Amino acid sequence: MEEIKRIGSPKDLENLRRRLKLKKRTDKPVISICVSTGCAALGSMKVLEAIKAELEKQGLAEAVNVKETGCLGFCEQGPRLSIHPKDICYFKVKPEDAQEIVSKTVVKGEVVERLLYKDPATGKVARRLDEIPFYRHQVRPLLANNERIDPKSIEDYIALGGYEALAKALFKMTPEDVIEEIKRANLRGRGGGGFPTGIKWETTRKAPGHVKYVIVNCDEGDPGAFMDRSLMEGNPHSVLEGLIIGGYAVGAGEGFVYVREEYPLAAENITNAIRQAEEYGLLGENILGSGFNFKVRVHRGAGAFVSGESSALMNAIEGCIGEPRPKYVHTAVKGVWGKPSCLNNVKTWANVPLIILKGAEWFRKIGTEGSSGTAIFSLVGKVNNTGLVEVPMGITLRDLIYKIGGGIKDGKKFKAVQTGGPSGGFIPEQYLDLPVDFDELYKVGSMMGSGGMVVMDEDTCMVDAARFFIDFLLEESCGKCIPCREGLRLLSRILNEICEGKGVEEDITIIEEIAETMRDASLCALGTTAANPVLTSLKYFRDEWDQHLKAKRCPAKACKALINYYIDPEKCQACQLCRRECPTGAIQGGVDQVHWIEQDKCVKCGSCYEACRFNAIVKISGEPIPPPPPKGTKPVRRRGGR
Amino acid sequence: MSSLQLKGLTTHGRKPVRLQGVAAIVNRIVEEYRYDKSMLIQVLLRLQKSFGWLPMEMLLEVSKQMEVPLSQVYQIATFYKAFSITPRGRHLIRVCMGTACKVRGSPNILDKIQRTLNIEREQTTPDGRFTLETINCAGCCALGPVVTVDGEYHGNVKTHNVEKILEQYR
C-alpha cells in the first residue's frame, strides 16, 4: 500500500483516513516532544535524544512511539513533553529526566511530580494541559492540533480529518459557494488590517484574466510576534489546505508561500508539506480527480520588514527588491506580474478549512459580532506566563494579561500593553477592560496587528519605547517615499534628543506635525501608521514626556543618559561581585569596605545592577548623587541575599 | 562587462576569489532554479548561505548567467539584510532587538558582546572569528533576551553568561 500514495478520489481519501485511524488506535503510548524553535532553543532536541536512548536501553523502542511536534504556546515553561493516552504533560524537562520519565510514567504509569506544572499563585499542580490556568481560558481551534501532529507527516494530518475540507469544497461546492461561505463566516484578515477575506477573494475571482495567484504571507516581521511561525512550524498542512481551497475559490492555478528569512524551520516544514501533498495527489494536476490543477512554490524572504506589505511582498516574489507599489488598483486585481493576486496571512488561510468543514455558523458563534472567530496572540514582555495564546475575539485585555498571562512579573505594576507592532500603539491601564477585536483597539489609537502583545511594567519608559519603534522603522523604511523616509529621520532625531535630556517643549508640536504629514502622505501602511506608537504614548503618558522635557528626569529609570547608578552604603555587603563585573573599573572600595561608583568612569552598562545580590545598587534620575561614603566604611552585615 | 571596469566596486582592495570556481558554484545553483529570474533572491540566498558573503565576482557571475542587470542584483544584495557584500566572520552572532527582548534587557546584552569582542554592530573581529549583527525579532519572544550564533538559539541570556556562550564557538 505504501508505494501507491496518490489519492484519486474523495472516497480514497476517506479510506486512507480510516486505515490511518485504525493503525493509530493501537494502545501504544506516545511521547510527544515539542521541537519548534522556542523549545529547541531550550534544549528539547537533547531531551528527545535522551528519551530515545533510554527507551532503547530499556528495550521499549518498539513499544513506544516518540513524536516530534510543534509549538503548544507555553514557551516560557519549555521544553514541553506530553505522554498519551494519559495526556500527562511535563514542563522544563531536562535530558537527565529521561530515565525517570521512561521507567516511572511509561512503564508503571506513575506521575513524576516535580516535572508537572505548578501554579505559582496557588501552588496547585496540573497533570493535564486543561488544568493549567494558562490553557483553561483559551479556545484553540487553530493551535490545538499542534500537539497531536508531527508537522513532517501528512498522515498525521489526514488521520485527524485533514484535507476533508478540500474534498468537500472541490466536490460539493462551487467556487462561488466557497466564497459565499467565507463571507458569511465574516472571516477578517488576520494579518492585522481586518479586511473581510470573502470580499477580497471575490474581487480576485471577478478580476479579468485567466492567470491568477494566491499567496500566503508568512513575513511576520513585527517584533514581539511569532504566531505565524508556530502555525507554519507546527501544522503546515492546515495552511496549505486553506491555500488550495482559496486557489479553487478565486480560480488560481498557482500559489506562493512567502516565508521570512529568520524562520528556517517554518520554510523547511512547509516545503516538506508541499512535497508530501504532491505525492498524495492533493497538489498538482487533477487534485483528487476533480480536474482542478494547482501548484505551490515557496519563496524565502531575505530579511526586510517592509516586504511584509502586500505589494512589496509581490515585488519580492517577482525577484525584485521588496518596495511597496502605489495601490491605486488593488493587488487583488493587479498583483504579481500584473495578475490578480489574493494575499492573506498564515492564520487567515489556516481558518479556511475549519470554516468550510464546520460551517460559517460555527465560526460566527466564536467571537464578537464584528469580529468572528479566534485570535492568536503572542503574549510577551513582562508577564508571568509568556507564550502563544488563542482566544475568542472580544476577550478583555485584563483577562488576557491576568487570567491567562498570570499577571505582571516580579509583582511589579502594569503600565501599558503594546499591540499591533510598530503600526500599533500603547494601551494604558484605564482601557484594560476593553474587549479585544479589530474595531475596539482601533478606537483607542492602536490596532490588532498580526497579534503581538507586549506587556510593559513600571520599568519601561514610554518615551524610550516610542523611540524604539521609530528607530526600528527608520531602519526598515525602504526610502521610496519622502514622508516616511524623512519623517522617520526627523522623529528619530527629536526622540533621541528627548531621551538624552536635550529636548525642548516645542518638540511636541513638531512631532505632531510630522506625524500628521506622514499619516496623510506616505505610500504604504508602514509610513501611514508609523507615528501611532509616538502618538499613543504622548496621549496616554504625557506626564512622562513632560518629566523628560522639563525636569530632565526619566521616571521609569530606563533612559541611559538621564540616570546614574549609585550603591546604597546601608545595603552594600562589600562582596566584590559588582567590582569584578564592572568593565571600566569604576567601582571603588575593597574587601570589607563599602563600595562606591566613580561616576566619571561609569558607562552605565548595568552589569553591576544585574550582578548585585543585595539590591544595593540603585538607579537614580533627576536628583543629585549622594557623595561616596568615607574611605574604609565597614558594611552593615546582613544575612542571606536576594 | 569586465570586472576591470567595475574595479571601484568589485574587489574592495582584496584579492579576487577564484573566478573559475565562482562561475561553477553559481552555475550549479542557477541551473537548479532553471534560470528563472523570479528566483534571483533564492539564488542569492543559497550563495550567501554556502559562501558566507557575496563577493562582487559572484554578483557579476549571477548577473551574467541569469541575464539580469548587475544593478538589480546589486540592489537586492544591498537591500535585504540577509546578504552581505563584505566578508563575514566564521560565526555570525545575531542579537535580537525586538520589543519583547528589549524590555527584557537585550540592549545590555548587545553592549556586553560589543565590549567583550571589542567590535561594533555590523563589524567583524580582526581574527575573523565573529561577526556581530542585530535582528528585529527572532520569533522566540517568550525566551528573551535571545542571541543566536550560527542559527543556534540561546534564550534568557544574562550579561554574565555572554562569555560562556561565545566560548563555545572557536
Side-chain angles (χ1 to χ4, degrees):
Chain A
M1 247 5 260
E2 291 302 309
E3 305 82 54
I4 314 156
K5 285 178 177 166
R6 221 181 142 76
I7 309 166
S9 69
K11 215 178 151 198
D12 283 1
L13 180 68
E14 210 37 60
N15 287 338
L16 173 68
R17 185 178 348 270
R18 210 167 298 142
R19 267 206 315 279
L20 290 172
K21 268 187 184 163
L22 271 178
K23 209 163 93 186
K24 285 194 201 297
R25 205 180 287 160
T26 48
D27 294 325
K28 252 191 196 183
V30 178
I31 302 181
S32 72
I33 301 173
C34 172
V35 291
S36 67
T37 309
C39 279
L42 294 168
S44 70
M45 290 316 271
K46 283 192 187 122
V47 176
L48 179 77
E49 277 163 31
I51 291 274
K52 278 186 176 162
E54 191 58 38
L55 287 171
E56 195 76 44
K57 214 168 98 189
Q58 303 204 16
L60 294 164
E62 288 298 309
V64 180
N65 259 340
V66 180
K67 194 178 264 187
E68 300 166 32
T69 67
C71 182
L72 267 195
F74 209 2
C75 308
E76 176 87 23
Q77 299 283 329
R80 188 265 320 164
L81 178 152
S82 23
I83 297 160
H84 306 285
K86 288 197 166 165
D87 296 344
I88 297 166
C89 231
Y90 291 146
F91 289 98
K92 292 193 174 170
V93 182
K94 294 199 178 65
E96 303 89 88
D97 302 324
Q99 195 260 335
E100 207 172 342
I101 292 173
V102 172
S103 52
K104 266 195 170 168
T105 315
V106 178
V107 178
K108 294 185 201 154
E110 289 167 14
V111 175
V112 185
E113 281 281 327
R114 67 185 165 85
L115 294 173
L116 292 174
Y117 176 76
K118 197 168 153 197
D119 188 354
T122 59
K124 261 174 77 178
V125 274
R127 285 179 54 160
R128 296 158 53 97
L129 273 192
D130 45 20
E131 291 169 10
I132 301 172
F134 179 75
Y135 289 104
R136 208 187 299 143
H137 302 282
Q138 295 190 39
V139 179
R140 305 161 61 87
L142 288 177
L143 287 176
N145 278 347
N146 274 15
E147 191 202 359
R148 282 173 270 168
I149 286 178
D150 177 351
K152 293 205 162 51
S153 151
I154 191 171
E155 296 193 344
D156 274 14
Y157 183 65
I158 291 177
L160 284 171
Y163 292 103
E164 206 179 328
L166 177 65
K168 185 179 173 189
L170 288 179
F171 289 92
K172 294 187 183 146
M173 298 165 94
T174 63
E176 285 79 12
D177 288 345
V178 175
I179 293 176
E180 196 49 42
E181 193 72 13
I182 299 294
K183 267 165 105 180
R184 274 200 304 127
N186 192 20
L187 173 64
R188 295 175 69 174
R190 294 296 196 260
F195 189 80
T197 307
I199 295 176
K200 202 186 221 176
W201 287 19
E202 198 170 41
T203 316
T204 306
R205 169 135 199 108
K206 287 187 177 157
H210 293 295
V211 182
K212 288 168 189 174
Y213 300 107
V214 278
I215 304 165
V216 179
N217 183 354
C218 186
D219 193 50
E220 186 180 40
D222 282 13
F226 57 103
M227 303 75 52
D228 298 354
R229 175 178 70 76
S230 289
L231 257 179
M232 260 331 204
E233 286 180 4
N235 197 353
H237 282 286
S238 66
V239 182
L240 188 60
E241 188 181 357
L243 185 71
I244 306 172
I245 296 173
Y248 171 69
V250 306
E254 192 170 358
F256 298 104
V257 182
Y258 188 90
V259 186
R260 80 190 271 244
E261 191 251 340
E262 287 87 342
Y263 292 173
L265 186 61
E268 190 188 316
N269 284 1
I270 187 76
T271 310
N272 181 56
I274 291 169
R275 215 197 53 238
Q276 286 180 336
E278 279 167 355
E279 282 172 11
Y280 277 77
L282 295 161
L283 260 183
E285 305 278 308
N286 195 13
I287 295 173
L288 288 175
S290 66
F292 173 58
N293 306 329
F294 190 71
K295 57 178 181 179
V296 179
R297 264 202 295 193
V298 175
H299 274 255
R300 299 275 315 260
F305 174 71
V306 69
S307 56
E309 198 273 341
S310 61
S311 63
L313 190 146
M314 291 180 191
N315 268 341
I317 287 180
E318 289 176 20
C320 305
I321 58 166
E323 271 181 356
R325 309 193 269 229
K327 289 196 277 191
Y328 309 117
V329 180
H330 282 295
T331 51
V333 178
K334 215 173 161 193
V336 182
W337 292 293
K339 306 282 189 278
S341 310
C342 180
L343 174 137
N344 284 122
N345 178 265
V346 173
K347 296 177 292 289
T348 317
W349 290 117
N351 266 311
V352 171
L354 294 174
I355 294 171
I356 296 297
L357 204 58
K358 298 186 179 178
E361 281 66 39
W362 165 81
F363 191 73
R364 288 202 75 130
K365 261 186 222 148
I366 313 170
T368 60
E369 182 62 34
S371 314
S372 317
T374 58
I376 308 182
F377 290 106
S378 65
L379 189 61
V380 293
K382 298 289 191 70
V383 58
N384 275 320
N385 302 334
T386 53
L388 219 58
V389 299
E390 187 175 358
V391 288
M393 295 266 190
I395 189 175
T396 63
L397 283 168
R398 194 182 296 279
D399 281 355
L400 252 174
I401 295 167
Y402 287 92
K403 274 194 186 159
I404 297 175
I408 310 298
K409 253 195 169 141
D410 303 328
K412 296 222 165 145
K413 212 172 148 296
F414 171 88
K415 189 178 220 170
V417 54
Q418 207 279 339
T419 67
S423 313
F426 302 100
I427 300 171
E429 199 171 3
Q430 74 229 50
Y431 292 117
L432 267 184
D433 290 308
L434 198 76
V436 181
D437 71 8
F438 288 109
D439 310 311
E440 293 293 327
L441 290 186
Y442 191 74
K443 282 183 204 155
V444 293
S446 183
M447 64 188 272
M448 183 96 147
S450 62
M453 194 167 267
V454 187
V455 178
M456 296 168 173
D457 67 2
E458 54 192 311
D459 290 343
T460 315
C461 168
M462 298 321 282
V463 184
D464 182 51
R467 180 189 66 127
F468 165 78
F469 281 113
I470 293 298
D471 280 351
F472 167 81
L473 289 169
L474 174 66
E475 217 171 276
E476 295 293 349
S477 168
C478 71
K480 188 169 177 170
C481 72
I482 297 166
C484 176
R485 184 183 67 216
E486 295 306 320
L488 284 168
R489 195 175 302 277
L490 273 172
L491 279 182
S492 164
R493 207 176 68 200
I494 296 170
L495 288 173
N496 274 301
E497 274 176 5
I498 296 177
C499 286
E500 280 161 21
K502 295 178 198 149
V504 286
E505 278 174 64
E506 290 74 40
D507 283 344
I508 305 275
T509 333
I510 303 174
I511 289 175
E512 281 164 348
E513 268 173 31
I514 298 171
E516 199 181 321
T517 315
M518 286 176 68
R519 192 186 59 222
D520 294 342
S522 295
L523 182 63
C524 79
L526 188 141
T528 52
T529 59
N532 278 354
V534 184
L535 292 179
T536 47
S537 169
L538 257 176
K539 190 167 155 198
Y540 300 124
F541 301 95
R542 184 58 187 259
D543 175 57
E544 227 169 284
W545 286 74
D546 285 342
Q547 296 240 26
H548 278 80
L549 291 169
K550 289 176 194 157
K552 311 289 176 210
R553 176 174 175 268
C554 176
K557 304 194 175 80
C559 295
K560 242 185 192 185
L562 299 179
I563 59 160
N564 290 97
Y565 287 92
Y566 166 70
I567 302 176
D568 187 346
E570 298 279 311
K571 284 187 182 165
C572 178
Q573 299 294 295
C575 67
Q576 312 247 33
L577 256 184
C578 57
R579 282 194 64 197
R580 253 174 265 143
E581 278 300 319
C582 183
T584 55
I587 298 180
Q588 305 300 320
V591 190
D592 217 26
Q593 259 182 55
V594 164
H595 305 335
W596 57 278
I597 298 172
E598 218 174 303
Q599 298 293 340
D600 299 342
K601 279 190 190 168
C602 177
V603 289
K604 302 176 189 173
C605 68
S607 297
C608 54
Y609 186 76
E610 253 186 51
C612 183
R613 288 189 285 132
F614 304 97
N615 286 329
I617 297 173
V618 286
K619 295 185 212 174
I620 46 181
S621 179
E623 46 192 301
I625 307 150
K631 220 176 161 194
T633 310
K634 298 252 187 249
V636 187
R637 285 286 178 207
R638 258 165 240 271
R639 273 206 197 131
R642 176 154 60 176
Chain B
M1 206 187 295
S2 80
S3 61
L4 258 180
Q5 274 174 294
L6 288 148
K7 212 174 169 191
L9 281 173
T10 52
T11 52
H12 297 281
R14 267 175 249 100
K15 270 189 190 164
V17 260
R18 288 174 300 137
L19 220 77
Q20 215 69 32
V22 170
I25 294 169
V26 170
N27 196 254
R28 215 178 48 231
I29 292 169
V30 172
E31 283 263 310
E32 216 176 287
Y33 287 99
R34 297 185 191 163
Y35 299 89
D36 184 346
K37 284 176 193 164
S38 70
M39 286 293 168
L40 180 55
I41 296 173
Q42 312 305 311
V43 168
L44 291 179
L45 274 172
R46 286 279 296 277
L47 288 169
Q48 167 79 38
K49 201 179 170 201
S50 55
F51 217 72
W53 64 293
L54 300 171
M56 198 57 192
E57 282 70 19
M58 206 173 251
L59 298 183
L60 264 168
E61 205 54 53
V62 172
S63 148
K64 209 158 73 189
Q65 294 191 20
M66 291 187 81
E67 295 179 0
V68 178
L70 179 65
S71 61
Q72 195 187 336
V73 181
Y74 191 78
Q75 196 184 19
I76 287 172
T78 48
F79 180 84
Y80 291 104
K81 272 196 180 160
F83 303 123
S84 168
I85 52 166
T86 50
R88 273 179 176 164
R90 288 196 298 283
H91 305 290
L92 176 63
I93 308 173
R94 287 171 146 184
V95 184
C96 180
M97 297 301 262
T99 332
C101 286
K102 186 194 146 72
V103 298
R104 288 186 178 207
S106 67
N108 285 347
I109 305 293
L110 179 67
D111 265 5
K112 173 80 181 187
I113 297 177
Q114 286 177 338
R115 277 199 315 272
T116 315
L117 300 177
N118 215 357
I119 49 172
E120 294 288 310
R121 265 165 69 165
E122 317 290 327
Q123 284 182 357
T124 305
T125 49
D127 60 358
R129 189 170 150 207
F130 289 116
T131 297
L132 178 62
E133 283 183 0
T134 56
I135 47 171
N136 285 323
C137 186
C140 302
C141 313
L143 317 173
V146 172
V147 174
T148 74
V149 188
D150 297 341
E152 245 178 87
Y153 291 76
H154 301 272
N156 293 323
V157 180
K158 300 260 178 336
T159 43
H160 52 260
N161 51 30
V162 160
E163 275 136 351
K164 221 160 72 194
I165 292 172
L166 297 184
E167 259 167 36
Q168 299 166 25
Y169 304 90
R170 283 279 127 209

